[in-house]
Amino acid sequence: FLVPPMLVMAASGYISQQQLNKLANEITEDSTALVLEEGKEKLMQKARDVALQAEVYLRAHPDLVREDFFYDPEFSGIAVQSVGQSGYTCIIQQPEPDKGQNWTIWAHPHPNIIGIDDIDMIRKALGPYFDHFFKVLTGSQGMKESEGFYRWKDPDGKIREKYMALAPVQLEGKPFMLMSTAYIDEFTNKTETLKARAKKLAEDTRNINFGILISAIVLIGLIIIVYGYRLTRNIQYLTEAADRISVGDLEAALIRSHVHLAVDFVNLPLDFIRPL
C-alpha cells in the first residue's frame, strides 16, 4: 500500500521538476538569444550610421587627411562615439599593399594606437584568439560589411567576448571602414537576473515538491498503519471465533458480536462464515 503510491508520486515529482527546469532554461536561453540579436543589430546599425556621418563630413572637408582624423575635434567626435557602456566606434583603413600600408587605425578612443599599422602587435596581444578577430576584420575586404564574435584580452589579462561590426565609408579611392564594437556581456547581463530568478524559482519548486512528497508519504503511512491495525485486529477476532467454535465453544452472543464486527470491516457476507 505504501511503496506503489510513493514511487508514483516520486516519479511524478521528478518528471514535473525536470519539465520545470527545461522550461526555465528555454526561457532564459531564448531571452539571451533575443537580447544578443538585438545587440548585434544595434552594433551594425551604429556602424552604418556613423560611417554615413563620417562620409558626409569627409566629402565636405576634402582637405582633411587621414593622419589628422583623430586630431580634428569635429571629425573625431563623429568617428569615435560610445556604444552602450563599454563599446565604441573607430575608423580603420584596409590594407593597400601597393603603398606598403597594412591595416591601420586612424580614429580610436586610445590615441596611442593611432597610425600604427603593425598587425603583429595585435596578434601577439590576442595570442590564440587572434584568428577570430582577424577573420571578422578580413571579412570586410573589398569594402563589404562584416560582423562577428571575437575574444579580446583586457589590460588586466582577462579574456572577454566581444562583437564587432564593420561598415564601409563610401569614399572613392579611400578604403576606410567604420568599426563598431562592444563586450557581449553588456547585452547578456540583462538576462542574468532573469536566469537567476528562474533558477531560484525552480529550486523553490523542487523543495516544495519534495516537502509535499514527504508529507504525503507520512500521511499515507499513518493511514495504512491505522487501517492495517484495525483490519488485522478484526481478522484476528474472526480467527479466534472460528477456533472457539471448532472446539465446541458456542457462546454465540460474544462470538457473533466479534464476527459481525470483523465481517462488516472486511465486507464479507455473513453466510460465508456460518458453516464455521
Side-chain angles (χ1 to χ4, degrees):
F1 285 104
L2 180 61
V3 174
M6 181 178 67
L7 293 178
V8 171
M9 293 180 66
S12 176
Y14 175 78
I15 294 173
S16 298
Q17 186 64 39
Q18 292 298 108
Q19 292 297 320
L20 180 62
N21 291 338
K22 182 179 178 181
L23 177 61
N25 290 334
E26 288 182 354
I27 290 175
T28 53
E29 289 175 1
D30 290 346
S31 299
T32 300
L34 289 174
V35 170
L36 187 57
E37 191 63 30
E38 180 183 354
K40 291 162 58 178
E41 293 177 0
K42 178 180 178 180
L43 284 169
M44 177 52 78
Q45 190 58 50
K46 185 69 173 181
R48 292 168 180 159
D49 293 343
V50 178
L52 181 58
Q53 295 171 33
E55 175 189 341
V56 171
Y57 186 88
L58 291 175
R59 288 186 184 279
H61 300 80
D63 296 332
L64 182 63
V65 296
R66 61 190 183 185
E67 287 81 5
D68 292 334
F69 282 179
F70 179 76
Y71 303 102
D72 182 292
E74 192 172 356
F75 182 73
S76 182
I78 293 174
V80 181
Q81 299 185 27
S82 296
V83 182
Q85 298 177 354
S86 63
Y88 59 86
T89 62
C90 64
I91 293 282
I92 187 169
Q93 179 182 340
Q94 292 188 351
E96 293 181 300
D98 56 330
K99 298 179 181 180
Q101 184 73 41
N102 206 335
W103 292 96
T104 309
I105 294 176
W106 292 114
H108 194 276
H110 302 293
N112 58 329
I113 63 174
I114 300 298
I116 297 177
D117 64 354
D118 187 3
I119 198 68
D120 289 333
M121 178 187 66
I122 301 178
R123 187 191 305 274
K124 292 176 183 178
L126 295 182
Y129 307 108
F130 173 78
D131 290 342
H132 293 139
F133 171 82
F134 198 62
K135 181 180 180 180
V136 180
L137 193 63
T138 55
S140 68
Q141 287 185 316
M143 302 300 290
K144 299 181 297 184
E145 289 186 351
S146 178
E147 58 184 319
F149 296 96
Y150 66 100
R151 294 182 181 274
W152 190 258
K153 188 175 183 180
D154 289 342
D156 60 2
K158 185 178 180 181
I159 301 296
R160 297 169 65 189
E161 192 169 29
K162 301 185 75 174
Y163 192 81
M164 173 169 58
L166 296 107
V169 179
Q170 302 291 351
L171 292 170
E172 186 177 353
K174 296 181 179 180
F176 297 129
M177 301 295 298
L178 196 293
M179 177 194 296
S180 176
T181 182
Y183 287 106
I184 291 303
D185 54 21
E186 182 176 328
F187 304 107
T188 57
N189 278 342
K190 298 177 182 178
T191 62
E192 289 301 320
T193 302
L194 175 62
K195 187 179 296 186
R197 290 176 59 187
K199 182 179 179 181
K200 187 177 185 306
L201 177 61
E203 291 176 350
D204 291 343
T205 304
R206 179 196 61 196
N207 295 336
I208 292 172
N209 288 338
F210 184 75
I212 292 175
L213 177 62
I214 296 299
S215 300
I217 291 174
V218 172
L219 180 61
I220 293 174
L222 290 175
I223 293 174
I224 290 175
I225 290 173
V226 173
Y227 176 81
Y229 172 75
R230 294 182 62 184
L231 179 62
T232 54
R233 182 186 62 182
N234 290 322
I235 291 176
Q236 185 177 4
Y237 288 157
L238 181 61
T239 303
E240 291 176 354
D243 290 342
R244 292 174 66 181
I245 292 175
S246 67
V247 296
D249 187 353
L250 302 178
E251 295 180 1
L254 179 60
I255 294 174
R256 190 174 184 82
S257 174
H258 289 312
V259 168
H260 270 294
L261 182 62
V263 169
D264 288 343
F265 198 85
V266 298
N267 296 320
L268 293 176
L270 188 60
D271 292 342
F272 178 77
I273 64 167
R274 280 177 178 166
L276 295 178

